[in-house]
Amino acid sequence: MNSSLRLGVQILTGLLILLGAGLLFVGVFFLWASSSRYSEEDYARLETSDEYPLKTTTNEITVLSFNIGYLSGLTNNQAVNRTQDLYDDNLDTVIKALKPLNPDILALQEIDFDSRRSFRVDQVKALNTVFEYPQQAIAINWDKRYVPFPSWSPTAHFGEILSGQAILSRFPITRHERFVLEKVATNPFYFNALYLDRLAQVADVQIGDQTLIVINLHLEAFDRPTRQNQTEFVLALAEQYAEQHPVLLVGDFNSALNRDDEGEPRSIQTVLESSTFTPAVSAESWTQSEQFTFPSDSPQYKLDYIFYTPDSIELVDVDIPQTTAQASDHLPVLMRLRLR
């Protein structure tokens, strides 16, 4: 073998070794980044604060559903560097807004428990320091060591995430369950490996001698067929519970009647067609600006809903509180009700 050929072989060998080492690094990094810190057994847990008194009976119940957007305000999912002050200010805004409303049951979506993007503050505990809910049902839907989103720049990456949903209650929660919904089948495997789980969080809330079932949702935002399948599954589940109990179906459905790029069928229409559930806000008003919940600075769509079983629940009042301002990119939905 002449010297030039030998040199060429050595260069090629070196390049192959570098390529192999690079691929190995990427593979190891991906496996590490997509791995979890917690056991799945801890993904649905019920925490009790014994120092706070439980309610057992009441004439009227106030329920509030709120996609809190991990208190990132209008910067949610944007490639920006956020400050601790942003989160502190938004937490203060939410506390001041919700305190006079004093919800008996607070259903939260997109709330962080220990995430780099929100300075590792357990936002449920931060809220509960003020609101003193004796029961906190926690459902984790995003537990990754490193999420390289929402842009290519590492300085804007979410990084380590522990996030999910929560149902906070002044009444006893006797059962809590977490249902993982269908993922987007057309997403590449590496995307789904790093993506959050969409959940139906179910809590049995004991009110006197009745059990109120609260189903807290955060459905698929970007893929309509998947969101449709998730909606059908959740509705079937809710209708099954409704055979024996009053049921509330609440949360961020990520579907609106007036969002043109959503396509047909609109998944929220599937819930409307149910003979078991009624929307707290009549569908005729869903396209009226006072009922819009997103985006919070200039609402254009209603993505957040409360549905209830009218045979077992009486609607007293419903509202879209504006006082949370831009603490989240969503506005909350509040319902006052009585059990029949």
Short mmCIF file of all heavy atoms in Angstrom, two decimals, residues 9-46:
data_model
loop_
_atom_site.label_atom_id
_atom_site.label_comp_id
_atom_site.label_asym_id
_atom_site.label_seq_id
_atom_site.Cartn_x
_atom_site.Cartn_y
_atom_site.Cartn_z
N VAL A 9 -6.68 5.97 4.03
CA VAL A 9 -7.35 4.99 4.90
C VAL A 9 -7.35 5.48 6.34
O VAL A 9 -8.35 5.37 7.07
CB VAL A 9 -6.66 3.62 4.80
CG1 VAL A 9 -7.19 2.67 5.87
CG2 VAL A 9 -6.88 3.02 3.41
N GLN A 10 -6.23 6.06 6.76
CA GLN A 10 -6.15 6.56 8.14
C GLN A 10 -7.13 7.72 8.37
O GLN A 10 -7.78 7.79 9.43
CB GLN A 10 -4.72 7.02 8.43
CG GLN A 10 -3.72 5.88 8.52
CD GLN A 10 -2.28 6.38 8.64
OE1 GLN A 10 -1.99 7.53 8.35
NE2 GLN A 10 -1.38 5.49 9.05
N ILE A 11 -7.24 8.61 7.38
CA ILE A 11 -8.18 9.73 7.50
C ILE A 11 -9.61 9.22 7.56
O ILE A 11 -10.42 9.65 8.39
CB ILE A 11 -7.99 10.72 6.34
CG1 ILE A 11 -6.63 11.42 6.46
CG2 ILE A 11 -9.12 11.74 6.32
CD1 ILE A 11 -6.28 12.28 5.26
N LEU A 12 -9.93 8.28 6.66
CA LEU A 12 -11.29 7.71 6.63
C LEU A 12 -11.61 7.00 7.95
O LEU A 12 -12.71 7.15 8.50
CB LEU A 12 -11.43 6.75 5.46
CG LEU A 12 -12.79 6.06 5.29
CD1 LEU A 12 -13.90 7.12 5.11
CD2 LEU A 12 -12.78 5.10 4.12
N THR A 13 -10.63 6.25 8.44
CA THR A 13 -10.82 5.55 9.72
C THR A 13 -11.07 6.54 10.85
O THR A 13 -11.96 6.36 11.69
CB THR A 13 -9.61 4.67 10.04
OG1 THR A 13 -9.41 3.73 8.99
CG2 THR A 13 -9.80 3.93 11.36
N GLY A 14 -10.29 7.61 10.85
CA GLY A 14 -10.46 8.64 11.89
C GLY A 14 -11.82 9.29 11.83
O GLY A 14 -12.47 9.53 12.86
N LEU A 15 -12.27 9.58 10.58
CA LEU A 15 -13.59 10.19 10.42
C LEU A 15 -14.70 9.26 10.90
O LEU A 15 -15.67 9.69 11.55
CB LEU A 15 -13.81 10.58 8.95
CG LEU A 15 -12.98 11.75 8.44
CD1 LEU A 15 -13.18 11.92 6.93
CD2 LEU A 15 -13.34 13.04 9.17
N LEU A 16 -14.56 7.96 10.58
CA LEU A 16 -15.56 6.98 11.02
C LEU A 16 -15.59 6.87 12.54
O LEU A 16 -16.66 6.73 13.15
CB LEU A 16 -15.29 5.62 10.38
CG LEU A 16 -15.55 5.52 8.88
CD1 LEU A 16 -15.09 4.17 8.33
CD2 LEU A 16 -17.04 5.73 8.58
N ILE A 17 -14.41 6.92 13.14
CA ILE A 17 -14.36 6.86 14.61
C ILE A 17 -15.03 8.10 15.21
O ILE A 17 -15.80 7.99 16.17
CB ILE A 17 -12.89 6.75 15.07
CG1 ILE A 17 -12.32 5.37 14.69
CG2 ILE A 17 -12.78 6.97 16.58
CD1 ILE A 17 -10.84 5.24 14.95
N LEU A 18 -14.75 9.27 14.63
CA LEU A 18 -15.38 10.50 15.12
C LEU A 18 -16.89 10.45 14.94
O LEU A 18 -17.66 10.85 15.84
CB LEU A 18 -14.80 11.71 14.40
CG LEU A 18 -13.38 12.12 14.77
CD1 LEU A 18 -12.89 13.25 13.86
CD2 LEU A 18 -13.34 12.58 16.24
N LEU A 19 -17.32 9.95 13.77
CA LEU A 19 -18.77 9.84 13.51
C LEU A 19 -19.42 8.88 14.51
O LEU A 19 -20.47 9.17 15.07
CB LEU A 19 -19.00 9.37 12.08
CG LEU A 19 -20.47 9.14 11.67
CD1 LEU A 19 -21.26 10.45 11.78
CD2 LEU A 19 -20.55 8.59 10.25
N GLY A 20 -18.76 7.74 14.72
CA GLY A 20 -19.30 6.77 15.67
C GLY A 20 -19.37 7.32 17.08
O GLY A 20 -20.35 7.12 17.79
N ALA A 21 -18.31 8.04 17.46
CA ALA A 21 -18.30 8.64 18.80
C ALA A 21 -19.40 9.69 18.94
O ALA A 21 -20.07 9.78 19.98
CB ALA A 21 -16.94 9.26 19.08
N GLY A 22 -19.60 10.46 17.85
CA GLY A 22 -20.66 11.48 17.87
C GLY A 22 -22.04 10.85 17.99
O GLY A 22 -22.87 11.31 18.77
N LEU A 23 -22.26 9.79 17.20
CA LEU A 23 -23.55 9.10 17.27
C LEU A 23 -23.77 8.47 18.64
O LEU A 23 -24.88 8.48 19.18
CB LEU A 23 -23.64 8.04 16.17
CG LEU A 23 -23.75 8.57 14.74
CD1 LEU A 23 -23.67 7.42 13.74
CD2 LEU A 23 -25.05 9.35 14.54
N LEU A 24 -22.71 7.92 19.21
CA LEU A 24 -22.81 7.32 20.54
C LEU A 24 -23.16 8.39 21.57
O LEU A 24 -24.01 8.17 22.44
CB LEU A 24 -21.49 6.64 20.91
CG LEU A 24 -21.44 5.99 22.30
CD1 LEU A 24 -22.47 4.88 22.41
CD2 LEU A 24 -20.03 5.46 22.59
N PHE A 25 -22.51 9.54 21.47
CA PHE A 25 -22.80 10.64 22.40
C PHE A 25 -24.26 11.07 22.28
O PHE A 25 -24.94 11.26 23.29
CB PHE A 25 -21.88 11.82 22.13
CG PHE A 25 -22.24 13.05 22.92
CD1 PHE A 25 -21.86 13.17 24.25
CD2 PHE A 25 -22.98 14.08 22.34
CE1 PHE A 25 -22.21 14.30 24.99
CE2 PHE A 25 -23.34 15.20 23.07
CZ PHE A 25 -22.95 15.31 24.40
N VAL A 26 -24.73 11.25 21.03
CA VAL A 26 -26.12 11.67 20.81
C VAL A 26 -27.08 10.64 21.39
O VAL A 26 -28.07 10.97 22.05
CB VAL A 26 -26.39 11.90 19.31
CG1 VAL A 26 -27.88 12.08 19.05
CG2 VAL A 26 -25.63 13.11 18.81
N GLY A 27 -26.79 9.35 21.15
CA GLY A 27 -27.65 8.30 21.66
C GLY A 27 -27.69 8.26 23.18
O GLY A 27 -28.77 8.16 23.79
N VAL A 28 -26.54 8.37 23.80
CA VAL A 28 -26.47 8.36 25.27
C VAL A 28 -27.17 9.59 25.84
O VAL A 28 -27.92 9.50 26.82
CB VAL A 28 -25.01 8.28 25.75
CG1 VAL A 28 -24.92 8.52 27.25
CG2 VAL A 28 -24.40 6.94 25.38
N PHE A 29 -26.94 10.75 25.21
CA PHE A 29 -27.58 11.98 25.68
C PHE A 29 -29.10 11.87 25.56
O PHE A 29 -29.83 12.26 26.47
CB PHE A 29 -27.08 13.19 24.88
CG PHE A 29 -27.77 14.48 25.27
CD1 PHE A 29 -27.37 15.18 26.39
CD2 PHE A 29 -28.82 14.97 24.51
CE1 PHE A 29 -28.00 16.35 26.76
CE2 PHE A 29 -29.47 16.14 24.88
CZ PHE A 29 -29.05 16.84 26.00
N PHE A 30 -29.58 11.32 24.43
CA PHE A 30 -31.02 11.18 24.23
C PHE A 30 -31.63 10.27 25.29
O PHE A 30 -32.68 10.58 25.87
CB PHE A 30 -31.31 10.63 22.83
CG PHE A 30 -32.75 10.27 22.62
CD1 PHE A 30 -33.70 11.25 22.39
CD2 PHE A 30 -33.17 8.94 22.66
CE1 PHE A 30 -35.05 10.92 22.21
CE2 PHE A 30 -34.49 8.60 22.48
CZ PHE A 30 -35.44 9.60 22.25
N LEU A 31 -30.98 9.13 25.55
CA LEU A 31 -31.50 8.21 26.57
C LEU A 31 -31.54 8.87 27.94
O LEU A 31 -32.49 8.69 28.71
CB LEU A 31 -30.65 6.94 26.60
CG LEU A 31 -30.76 6.02 25.38
CD1 LEU A 31 -29.75 4.88 25.48
CD2 LEU A 31 -32.18 5.47 25.24
N TRP A 32 -30.50 9.64 28.25
CA TRP A 32 -30.47 10.35 29.53
C TRP A 32 -31.54 11.44 29.58
O TRP A 32 -32.28 11.55 30.56
CB TRP A 32 -29.09 10.96 29.75
CG TRP A 32 -29.03 11.89 30.92
CD1 TRP A 32 -28.94 11.55 32.24
CD2 TRP A 32 -29.08 13.32 30.87
NE1 TRP A 32 -28.93 12.69 33.03
CE2 TRP A 32 -29.02 13.78 32.21
CE3 TRP A 32 -29.16 14.24 29.82
CZ2 TRP A 32 -29.03 15.14 32.52
CZ3 TRP A 32 -29.18 15.60 30.14
CH2 TRP A 32 -29.12 16.03 31.46
N ALA A 33 -31.62 12.25 28.52
CA ALA A 33 -32.56 13.38 28.51
C ALA A 33 -34.00 12.92 28.61
O ALA A 33 -34.82 13.55 29.28
CB ALA A 33 -32.36 14.20 27.23
N SER A 34 -34.34 11.82 27.95
CA SER A 34 -35.72 11.34 27.93
C SER A 34 -36.07 10.48 29.13
O SER A 34 -37.22 10.05 29.27
CB SER A 34 -35.98 10.56 26.64
OG SER A 34 -35.12 9.43 26.54
N SER A 35 -35.10 10.20 30.00
CA SER A 35 -35.38 9.38 31.17
C SER A 35 -36.04 10.23 32.26
O SER A 35 -36.00 11.46 32.24
CB SER A 35 -34.08 8.76 31.71
OG SER A 35 -33.19 9.75 32.19
N SER A 36 -36.64 9.56 33.22
CA SER A 36 -37.36 10.24 34.29
C SER A 36 -36.57 10.22 35.59
O SER A 36 -35.65 9.41 35.76
CB SER A 36 -38.73 9.56 34.51
OG SER A 36 -38.54 8.20 34.84
N ARG A 37 -36.93 11.10 36.49
CA ARG A 37 -36.31 11.14 37.80
C ARG A 37 -37.12 10.39 38.84
O ARG A 37 -36.61 10.01 39.88
CB ARG A 37 -36.16 12.60 38.26
CG ARG A 37 -35.11 13.39 37.49
CD ARG A 37 -35.02 14.80 38.05
NE ARG A 37 -36.14 15.62 37.63
CZ ARG A 37 -36.51 16.75 38.24
NH1 ARG A 37 -35.89 17.14 39.32
NH2 ARG A 37 -37.52 17.45 37.79
N TYR A 38 -38.42 10.20 38.57
CA TYR A 38 -39.32 9.64 39.56
C TYR A 38 -39.93 8.34 39.06
O TYR A 38 -40.04 8.10 37.85
CB TYR A 38 -40.44 10.64 39.90
CG TYR A 38 -39.93 11.87 40.61
CD1 TYR A 38 -39.37 12.92 39.88
CD2 TYR A 38 -39.96 11.98 41.99
CE1 TYR A 38 -38.87 14.05 40.52
CE2 TYR A 38 -39.47 13.09 42.64
CZ TYR A 38 -38.93 14.13 41.90
OH TYR A 38 -38.43 15.24 42.53
N SER A 39 -40.36 7.51 39.98
CA SER A 39 -41.05 6.27 39.65
C SER A 39 -42.48 6.59 39.20
O SER A 39 -43.12 7.52 39.72
CB SER A 39 -41.08 5.35 40.86
OG SER A 39 -41.99 4.30 40.67
N GLU A 40 -42.99 5.80 38.26
CA GLU A 40 -44.36 6.00 37.81
C GLU A 40 -45.35 5.85 38.94
O GLU A 40 -46.46 6.39 38.88
CB GLU A 40 -44.69 5.02 36.67
CG GLU A 40 -44.64 5.69 35.31
CD GLU A 40 -45.24 4.85 34.21
OE1 GLU A 40 -46.48 4.71 34.17
OE2 GLU A 40 -44.47 4.34 33.40
N GLU A 41 -44.99 5.10 39.96
CA GLU A 41 -45.87 4.93 41.11
C GLU A 41 -46.12 6.27 41.82
O GLU A 41 -47.12 6.42 42.52
CB GLU A 41 -45.26 3.94 42.10
CG GLU A 41 -45.14 2.52 41.54
CD GLU A 41 -44.41 1.60 42.50
OE1 GLU A 41 -43.95 2.09 43.55
OE2 GLU A 41 -44.30 0.40 42.19
N ASP A 42 -45.21 7.23 41.62
CA ASP A 42 -45.35 8.53 42.26
C ASP A 42 -46.04 9.55 41.36
O ASP A 42 -46.19 10.72 41.76
CB ASP A 42 -43.97 9.08 42.65
CG ASP A 42 -43.28 8.19 43.68
OD1 ASP A 42 -43.98 7.63 44.54
OD2 ASP A 42 -42.04 8.06 43.61
N TYR A 43 -46.45 9.15 40.18
CA TYR A 43 -47.03 10.09 39.23
C TYR A 43 -48.46 10.49 39.58
O TYR A 43 -48.98 11.49 39.06
CB TYR A 43 -46.99 9.53 37.81
CG TYR A 43 -45.63 9.59 37.16
CD1 TYR A 43 -44.52 10.12 37.81
CD2 TYR A 43 -45.46 9.13 35.85
CE1 TYR A 43 -43.29 10.17 37.21
CE2 TYR A 43 -44.22 9.19 35.22
CZ TYR A 43 -43.14 9.70 35.91
OH TYR A 43 -41.91 9.76 35.29
N ALA A 44 -49.13 9.71 40.39
CA ALA A 44 -50.46 10.07 40.89
C ALA A 44 -50.43 9.92 42.39
O ALA A 44 -50.39 8.80 42.91
CB ALA A 44 -51.54 9.18 40.27
N ARG A 45 -50.43 11.02 43.09
CA ARG A 45 -50.33 10.94 44.54
C ARG A 45 -51.31 11.93 45.18
O ARG A 45 -51.67 12.96 44.58
CB ARG A 45 -48.91 11.21 45.01
CG ARG A 45 -48.38 12.60 44.76
CD ARG A 45 -46.94 12.74 45.24
NE ARG A 45 -46.46 14.10 45.22
CZ ARG A 45 -45.85 14.65 44.18
NH1 ARG A 45 -45.65 13.93 43.09
NH2 ARG A 45 -45.44 15.91 44.23
N LEU A 46 -51.71 11.60 46.38
CA LEU A 46 -52.62 12.44 47.15
C LEU A 46 -51.90 12.91 48.40
O LEU A 46 -51.44 12.11 49.21
CB LEU A 46 -53.88 11.65 47.52
CG LEU A 46 -54.96 12.41 48.29
CD1 LEU A 46 -55.47 13.60 47.49
CD2 LEU A 46 -56.11 11.47 48.64
#
